[in-house]
Amino acid sequence: HSTTNFHPWHPKHAWFWTAEGDSMGEATVDPAAPDTPQVKKKKLDILGFQVQVAEQKVKKVLLGATSFLVVFNALALPFAIPKLRRFLGAPYVPMKRKAVEALFEQVLPQWAATRSGASGKGLENLRLVDFGSGDGRIVQMAAEKGMRATGYELNPYLVLWSRLRCWRSFRRAPGQGEVRWANAWSADLKDVDVVTVYGRPGDSFMQLAAKKMDQELPPHAAVVSHLFDVPGWERRLVQDVEGLKLYDFRRGRNSQPSE
């Protein structure tokens, strides 16, 4: 066996095998050249601790955090709007199918039968406004019963969803149905026959709704509140079925009995 003599290692020299035979070549290495590229770092103060983080990573974290906040706000804001004073409303809670059926099969037909001049027409051509229409199921059923129904909804996702699920029914229904992306507090109620509202207790929502309807609804109108009482309207309450409380405006205004 032949013996190969190696020179002592020197930083200026590096050994490597050549492509031909077993001979070895020598390459020169500059000791001043850095082994890895320099990474720019930033000092961050996190809870009183100084932390060095690569500048590129900081940019990625900031970009990711910004993107998350934008997406989160876009998704969450429509559901938070009802808590704002100007757009005060109730959170989205879909009405059960059983309650919807009771509304249009029992509660409203019984009320309509007592109206003077109704002449057995039932609900046909009566105008209904849904105060916060959610997924549009009340507006849809009202149109199918021949009513002229309009739903007001602030949440754009619910407006889109209700329009998609109801458009075929609206086209075929004997009545009219429409879901508006609008603030229900701006709705004009002066020619409305029925208002449906799925409110909530607290934060004066029901009181403000009662005030608006007292000021705008005609004296022959009715209001149906799901689950929650309308304060001050005890004398108007004529039905309470499946949590559907029907208030008849013919029984007087501001809790006063009709003459």
Side-chain angles (χ1 to χ4, degrees):
H1 297 283
S2 60
T3 302
T4 304
N5 295 322
F6 291 94
H7 293 286
W9 181 86
H10 190 278
K12 292 185 178 180
H13 304 282
W15 295 95
F16 64 93
W17 295 98
T18 61
E20 297 181 358
D22 294 336
S23 61
M24 300 175 65
E26 183 179 12
T28 302
V29 179
D30 185 359
D35 294 333
T36 57
Q38 294 293 325
V39 178
K40 294 182 178 180
K41 294 187 176 182
K42 284 183 174 292
K43 286 187 178 181
L44 299 179
D45 189 348
I46 302 178
L47 299 177
F49 296 95
Q50 294 289 332
V51 179
Q52 281 194 342
V53 184
E55 185 175 340
Q56 193 64 25
K57 288 186 177 180
V58 173
K59 292 180 179 179
K60 289 182 178 180
V61 170
L62 291 176
L63 179 61
T66 302
S67 302
F68 171 78
L69 289 175
V70 170
V71 173
F72 177 79
N73 285 327
L75 294 175
L77 185 59
F79 295 93
I81 284 178
K83 294 296 293 182
L84 302 179
R85 181 75 177 180
R86 182 179 177 184
F87 306 101
L88 190 62
Y92 169 58
V93 179
M95 184 182 290
K96 294 182 179 180
R97 176 60 59 181
K98 185 177 181 180
V100 176
E101 292 175 352
L103 175 63
F104 290 98
E105 298 293 340
Q106 182 177 350
V107 176
L108 288 181
Q110 287 184 9
W111 164 79
T114 65
R115 299 176 72 234
S116 59
S119 64
K121 291 183 179 180
L123 302 178
E124 291 181 14
N125 293 320
L126 294 183
R127 186 179 175 191
L128 178 144
V129 165
D130 192 8
F131 209 89
S133 56
D135 61 6
R137 62 184 62 190
I138 290 181
V139 178
Q140 180 183 16
M141 183 68 76
E144 292 175 357
K145 294 296 181 180
M147 302 180 76
R148 293 175 293 158
T150 303
Y152 288 83
E153 178 57 55
L154 271 176
N155 189 320
Y157 306 125
L158 292 176
V159 172
L160 178 61
W161 169 239
S162 58
R163 287 177 178 176
L164 288 174
R165 69 182 295 273
C166 298
W167 73 272
R168 194 181 300 274
S169 296
F170 288 164
R171 292 182 62 184
R172 298 177 177 177
Q176 300 174 7
E178 177 189 11
V179 176
R180 297 180 182 177
W181 182 20
N183 187 357
W185 296 103
S186 64
D188 184 0
L189 305 178
K190 68 177 182 295
D191 296 321
V192 174
D193 300 294
V194 179
V195 173
T196 55
V197 57
Y198 195 159
R200 68 181 183 202
D203 66 20
S204 70
F205 171 79
M206 297 301 289
Q207 289 88 340
L208 291 173
K211 181 179 179 180
K212 176 178 175 62
M213 291 183 278
D214 257 326
Q215 292 173 346
E216 299 182 24
L217 283 174
H220 64 267
V223 174
V224 180
S225 175
H226 188 211
L227 297 181
F228 303 109
D229 296 322
V230 179
W233 284 12
E234 289 78 9
R235 293 182 180 274
R236 289 177 176 167
L237 181 62
V238 295
Q239 293 187 57
D240 190 346
V241 180
E242 296 291 340
L244 300 167
K245 305 174 188 297
L246 187 143
Y247 297 89
D248 193 338
F249 270 46
R250 291 173 298 174
R251 294 177 67 91
R253 291 184 176 272
N254 299 323
S255 300
Q256 296 299 320
S258 58
E259 298 297 327

